[in-house]
């Protein structure tokens, strides 16, 4: 069985990003982007990783891997991702 090539981030749409975590998470992610909270973003080996400033003056390192337009593998140390098992605004902000 052959593995599909990693998806290109330029193929992402708002619809895809909303599917990851829902409309409310997407709106929170947009706010992060608007306030300039994305301090660093990089894509390497199929992973998008980045550093995001939090309001508490700390930074959070997060990453995701695109499986297809609607599915991702999400790795963020925040409560929403780790304890609730949901895609968080930090990850969606990297997608934006």
């Amino acid at each position: 069985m052959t593995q599909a090539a990693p998806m290109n981030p330029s193929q992402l749409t708002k619809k895809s990003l909303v599917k990851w975590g829902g409309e409310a998470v997407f709106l929170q992610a947009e706010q992060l982007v608007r306030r300039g909270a994305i301090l660093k973003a990089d894509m390497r080996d199929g992973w998008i990783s980045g550093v995001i400033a939090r309001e508490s003056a700390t930074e959070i390192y997060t990453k995701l891997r695109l499986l297809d337009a609607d599915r991702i593998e999400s790795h963020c140390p925040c409560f929403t991702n780790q304890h609730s098992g949901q895609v968080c605004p930090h990850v969606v902000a990297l997608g934006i």
Side-chain angles (χ1 to χ4, degrees):
M1 182 156 119
T2 59
Q3 189 174 10
M7 195 180 150
N8 184 329
S10 67
Q11 296 171 283
L12 291 175
T13 64
K14 178 181 176 182
K15 182 178 176 182
S16 299
L17 295 166
V18 169
K19 280 187 177 182
W20 293 359
E23 185 71 31
V25 169
F26 177 80
L27 293 173
Q28 292 170 13
E30 277 190 321
Q31 289 176 353
L32 288 171
V33 172
R34 272 196 300 271
R35 78 166 204 252
I38 311 303
L39 303 177
K40 179 180 176 184
D42 185 37
M43 181 164 179
R44 187 175 307 169
D45 300 326
W47 289 89
I48 299 172
S49 61
V51 178
I52 300 171
R54 299 205 282 188
E55 289 180 7
S56 62
T58 61
E59 297 175 352
I60 190 168
Y61 173 81
T62 188
K63 68 180 183 175
L64 68 106
R65 181 170 60 114
L66 301 169
L67 302 175
D68 59 41
D70 299 332
R71 295 180 319 120
I72 60 170
E73 182 178 338
S74 168
H75 295 272
C76 185
C78 76
F79 184 85
T80 300
N81 195 286
Q82 293 296 308
H83 299 282
S84 301
Q86 299 173 347
V87 174
C88 64
H90 309 113
V91 168
V92 176
L94 281 181
I96 292 172

